[in-house]
Amino acid sequence: MYIDDDNYLAQEKFNGERRMVEHDDNYKTKGYNKKGKEVQLPGSIVKSINNTCLLDGEIISDKLHIFDILSLGDNSIKENSCIDRLNVLERMTFGIAVQIVKTAYTRSEKQKRYNDLIKNNAEGIVFKL
């Protein structure tokens, strides 16, 4: 149903540790778990983020897989549409330890992504309105 519905996009679901990652104007990078408690981030991830922003993602080993951005600079963008936020995210650059999760938008892209994830025994797929 979600694959056929153009109102939904799709991203791979990772089996990592959920993290909000904040990089501030003072060049400090902080990680927060699902409960909002500050947690230490691998140094490779800290070194890979240089934009003032708030990111949402999952950490697997020493890589951060970003699937959303909630603020850029001093501006909250969490009220923007998911597509608008992903467009902002895809224009950003990060170091080697940060990867933006690939997003499928069209029916054919979503079907291909789904098939690839099944073939590779991935954790799953997430559909967002």
Side-chain angles (χ1 to χ4, degrees), residues 74-127:
D74 293 331
N75 301 313
S76 172
I77 60 172
K78 63 184 172 184
E79 299 302 321
N80 295 21
S81 72
C82 184
I83 290 176
D84 287 345
R85 293 191 313 271
L86 290 172
N87 286 331
V88 168
L89 187 59
E90 289 173 7
R91 289 191 304 265
M92 296 173 69
T93 57
F94 298 96
I96 195 162
V98 174
Q99 179 179 347
I100 299 171
V101 176
K102 293 179 185 175
T103 302
Y105 297 93
T106 66
R107 185 202 182 288
S108 61
E109 289 172 347
K110 290 185 282 186
Q111 187 65 61
K112 181 179 182 335
R113 191 79 187 121
Y114 176 80
N115 293 343
D116 289 345
L117 294 172
I118 293 290
K119 178 180 159 187
N120 294 316
N121 293 316
E123 172 73 13
I125 192 167
V126 175
F127 294 96

Side-chain angles (χ1 to χ4, degrees), residues 18-22 29-33 36-41 46 59:
R18 180 82 179 267
R19 290 290 178 267
M20 299 293 285
V21 178
E22 177 182 37
T29 304
K30 299 176 184 175
Y32 301 93
N33 65 17
K37 180 180 177 190
E38 188 174 340
V39 293
Q40 188 168 352
L41 296 170
V46 171
I59 292 179

Side-chain angles (χ1 to χ4, degrees), residues 12-78:
E12 180 175 355
K13 178 191 180 313
F14 289 88
N15 189 19
E17 296 176 10
R18 180 82 179 267
R19 290 290 178 267
M20 299 293 285
V21 178
E22 177 182 37
H23 184 83
D24 66 24
D25 290 333
N26 297 317
Y27 304 103
K28 293 190 178 173
T29 304
K30 299 176 184 175
Y32 301 93
N33 65 17
K34 288 189 273 188
K35 295 180 180 180
K37 180 180 177 190
E38 188 174 340
V39 293
Q40 188 168 352
L41 296 170
S44 58
I45 292 173
V46 171
K47 292 176 188 173
S48 292
I49 302 172
N50 57 12
N51 299 289
T52 300
C53 58
L54 178 60
L55 306 167
D56 195 358
E58 291 198 26
I59 292 179
I60 299 174
S61 184
D62 62 349
K63 282 207 187 251
L64 174 64
H65 301 268
I66 305 169
F67 50 78
D68 205 353
I69 181 169
L70 302 174
S71 70
L72 181 61
D74 293 331
N75 301 313
S76 172
I77 60 172
K78 63 184 172 184

